[in-house]
Amino acid sequence: MSLSIFLLWLVSIPFFVHSSPDQPTGLLITCGSSVKQTIPGTKLTYIPDDGFTFVGNKTALKNKDLLPILTTLRYFPDKSARKYCYTFQAIKGGKYLVRTIYYYGGFDGGEQPPVFDQIIGGTKWSVVNTTEDYANGLTSYYEVIVVAPTTTLSVCLARNKQTASSSSPFISAIEVLFLDDSMYNSTDFNEYALATVARSTFGNQEDSISFPDDPYYRLWQPFKDKNAVVSSQSSVSTSEFWNKPPAKAFVTAITTSPGKKLEVQWPPVSLPSTNYHISLYFQDNRKPDTNAWRVFSIAVNGKTFYSNLNVSTGGVTVYSPQWPLSGQTLISLTPDVKSSDGPLINAGEIYQILPLGGRTLTRDVAAMEELARSFNNPPPDWTGDPCLPLENSWTGVTCSKDKMARVISLDLTNFGISGSLAPTIDNLTAIHHLWLGGNQISGSIPEMYSLGRLETLHLENNSFTGPIPKSFGKLGNLREIFLQNNNLDGSIPDELQGKKGINLQVSPGNHLSA
């Protein structure tokens, strides 16, 4: 589900860039640009995406009157790649709001934006479909709140069945914002992420609330319906609120007459049937010295959400970490019979509960990342999670379907790869088949004592030098070794020569003695 905003209104942030009064803590990245971009009227500065991704092409749009960060984009025409990833350094266990921004601009000469997937870590996050927004002159953005399981965090795009063969996934900007540990902590972020559906201030008829009013640079969109609007007579200190809403979110509210029920259809979109995180915010708009009561109960789609809420001028929030919603959502506020004033509501947040798609064992991730660094020209999709989602694993990589995925096969035969074979290959302890034949890999073959499940090893037709590792004779499941057409020397280990039932190919092309 995309969120949209007018092109001339869009604002955004940085990440592991130094935090300052002018910049929230995080990364603000403009995609496809070679220079920094600053949002007019602010000091928010976006840095180029070079260094966060190594694939894709840059292009500039010819459209006029665009914000600077929308004037360029990066697109990904390589149809052979299973995904196209940006990788950011992260604090392990740190909580982040990731926002991706899209404006098509007809960069490929077409009339409609391409449709594709986006992935956070190893989880398919959403389908990116900006067609309707683009037709209405809007840009689109998507948000997800996630905890980094390791010291990196990846955001990837991928083709799907809806991606036309003539089009390419693209992206205009990415924002990675660091959140306080306490925020949204009713969610088990080891199991779930939160995908933003709506974040609104009620009765606000002005622009959205964002940075610096919200130091975490969340975007609070204005929402107004036919209900009456009131303004607060006192300020709210939100530092003690569990997810730290901006004080400005309490400035206005929508309300109704004393004794009447207040009904609000929000968000104004139909929702898929699943569970959602809902947070609602209230503040009594009257002066603090009043002796009257403002008490009401809250129902969501006819089910009691909270009973007898006593709303003070200091403000209050109520929430549900998992609430089922489907279709249109109706929030009903029913006043208590003793309440002298009608119910009101200031703001709200709704997030879809996004089950995480498992993880790849950290040891395997580290080993594969080191392997990618040791190759001079690995496949272009060798970034992000090596295994997940399974349909978007790295080219040549096959993984187990366990919740903690393991690399079980690697086949890069005849890929034209050069470089060396990293010793950390020995950490892929679940691998059964390792096929790297027909490349230009050089250097020595590392020992592989830990690969007890390895069944077939193909390193033929490369440029390996040095001896055959003695560890090969210790691998009880190894039944096939192809090493011909390299520059190996020394002798064949006794353990291999005497091993029964093994297909050992070492010639021609080597300089080995029996």
Side-chain angles (χ1 to χ4, degrees):
M1 179 180 300
S2 72
L3 305 159
S4 57
I5 38 184
F6 289 100
L7 298 181
L8 296 181
W9 174 86
L10 175 67
V11 236
S12 296
I13 35 189
F15 162 56
F16 280 148
V17 171
H18 177 66
S19 178
S20 75
D22 301 324
Q23 297 274 120
T25 303
L27 278 174
L28 295 178
I29 298 170
T30 176
C31 300
S33 177
S34 299
V35 297
K36 293 181 179 180
Q37 301 281 9
T38 301
I39 301 297
T42 76
K43 295 183 180 180
L44 293 171
T45 301
Y46 289 70
I47 61 176
D49 62 352
D50 296 319
F52 300 104
T53 187
F54 302 97
V55 295
N57 299 338
K58 300 179 179 181
T59 191
L61 300 180
K62 298 178 181 179
N63 311 55
K64 296 181 179 180
D65 300 324
L66 292 177
L67 285 174
I69 64 168
L70 300 178
T71 59
T72 62
L73 58 82
R74 185 180 290 267
Y75 66 99
F76 305 91
D78 185 351
K79 296 178 183 178
S80 67
R82 296 180 180 179
K83 57 188 172 188
Y84 321 96
C85 295
Y86 285 81
T87 302
F88 311 101
Q89 294 300 308
I91 298 173
K92 183 178 180 179
K95 193 174 296 178
Y96 297 91
L97 186 152
V98 178
R99 184 182 296 131
T100 53
I101 300 168
Y102 301 93
Y103 180 66
Y104 171 56
F107 75 90
D108 56 1
E111 295 182 357
Q112 289 191 340
V115 178
F116 49 91
D117 291 334
Q118 60 183 354
I119 299 164
I120 185 78
T123 300
K124 191 161 290 185
W125 164 12
S126 66
V127 174
V128 176
N129 188 343
T130 65
T131 304
E132 183 177 350
D133 287 341
Y134 181 67
N136 292 324
L138 301 174
T139 188
S140 304
Y141 69 92
Y142 296 76
E143 290 182 355
V144 67
I145 297 174
V146 66
V147 165
T150 65
T151 56
T152 61
L153 188 63
S154 64
V155 177
C156 309
L157 309 181
R159 295 172 182 270
N160 59 27
K161 293 180 180 179
Q162 297 171 270
T163 311
S165 59
S166 60
S167 61
S168 302
F170 73 96
I171 190 164
S172 303
I174 304 176
E175 302 165 2
V176 186
L177 308 170
F178 190 74
L179 300 180
D180 190 275
D181 286 344
S182 68
M183 297 170 69
Y184 309 101
N185 60 6
S186 62
T187 297
D188 181 359
F189 284 100
N190 291 317
E191 300 291 333
Y192 304 101
L194 297 178
T196 305
V197 174
R199 186 187 300 111
S200 301
T201 55
F202 297 120
N204 180 9
Q205 302 178 61
E206 301 178 358
D207 289 339
S208 293
I209 299 170
S210 61
F211 187 83
D213 296 298
D214 187 327
Y216 302 98
Y217 200 13
R218 291 165 295 183
L219 306 179
W220 299 77
Q221 305 281 22
F223 176 87
K224 187 177 182 299
D225 58 11
K226 295 181 180 179
N227 289 298
V229 176
V230 292
S231 298
S232 176
Q233 301 300 308
S234 59
S235 60
V236 173
S237 175
T238 62
S239 60
E240 299 302 318
F241 280 64
W242 67 288
N243 64 341
K244 305 184 185 303
K248 202 171 182 179
F250 293 87
V251 170
T252 62
I254 54 176
T255 189
T256 190
S257 304
K260 290 188 177 181
K261 179 189 292 187
L262 174 64
E263 293 189 329
V264 183
Q265 186 173 300
W266 175 84
V269 292
S270 181
L271 301 180
S273 181
T274 188
N275 289 328
Y276 296 82
H277 174 108
I278 304 175
S279 294
L280 304 175
Y281 302 91
F282 311 88
Q283 186 219 11
D284 194 333
N285 68 300
R286 299 167 301 170
K287 293 182 179 180
D289 60 355
T290 180
N291 292 318
W293 295 91
R294 192 187 290 275
V295 180
F296 51 86
S297 296
I298 307 162
V300 177
N301 289 342
K303 293 177 61 178
T304 300
F305 190 82
Y306 198 92
S307 298
N308 301 317
L309 180 67
N310 187 354
V311 179
S312 67
T313 55
V316 64
T317 178
V318 295
Y319 68 93
S320 172
Q322 292 209 27
W323 188 272
L325 294 176
S326 180
Q328 298 293 331
T329 304
L330 182 66
I331 299 174
S332 303
L333 310 179
T334 304
D336 183 88
V337 292
K338 298 179 181 179
S339 183
S340 58
D341 291 271
L344 86 176
I345 184 169
N346 295 80
E349 296 178 272
I350 292 184
Y351 299 90
Q352 184 174 333
I353 304 295
L354 180 64
L356 297 177
R359 287 177 52 192
T360 301
L361 187 72
T362 301
R363 180 176 179 172
D364 282 23
V365 174
M368 292 302 297
E369 289 176 342
E370 183 60 31
L371 190 63
R373 284 190 288 268
S374 70
F375 292 154
N376 293 331
N377 48 343
D381 55 14
W382 272 41
T383 56
D385 192 294
C387 290
L388 300 172
L390 285 174
E391 62 270 31
N392 302 109
S393 64
W394 290 6
T395 292
V397 176
T398 303
C399 299
S400 67
K401 296 182 179 180
D402 306 316
K403 188 166 185 180
M404 190 66 73
R406 301 295 309 275
V407 176
I408 59 175
S409 176
L410 175 57
D411 182 2
L412 292 179
T413 304
N414 297 323
F415 261 80
I417 291 171
S418 60
S420 60
L421 183 58
T424 49
I425 193 75
D426 194 37
N427 290 335
L428 297 177
T429 55
I431 198 166
H432 291 256
H433 307 284
L434 177 57
W435 290 23
L436 297 174
N439 291 291
Q440 292 90 47
I441 305 172
S442 58
S444 60
I445 300 174
E447 294 286 358
M448 302 181 190
Y449 284 105
S450 301
L451 304 192
R453 299 182 186 181
L454 190 64
E455 299 174 39
T456 62
L457 176 64
H458 283 231
L459 301 178
E460 73 276 12
N461 302 319
N462 276 285
S463 300
F464 286 109
T465 57
I468 297 175
K470 293 183 179 181
S471 58
F472 289 179
K474 305 288 186 181
L475 303 179
N477 288 315
L478 193 57
R479 53 182 170 78
E480 185 173 278
I481 307 178
F482 284 15
L483 300 174
Q484 66 269 30
N485 293 317
N486 281 285
N487 295 307
L488 300 173
D489 55 30
S491 60
I492 300 174
D494 293 339
E495 294 88 341
L496 278 182
Q497 293 196 74
K499 194 177 179 75
K500 294 182 180 180
I502 191 167
N503 182 6
L504 176 62
Q505 301 289 331
V506 296
S507 61
N510 292 306
H511 311 285
L512 298 166
S513 58

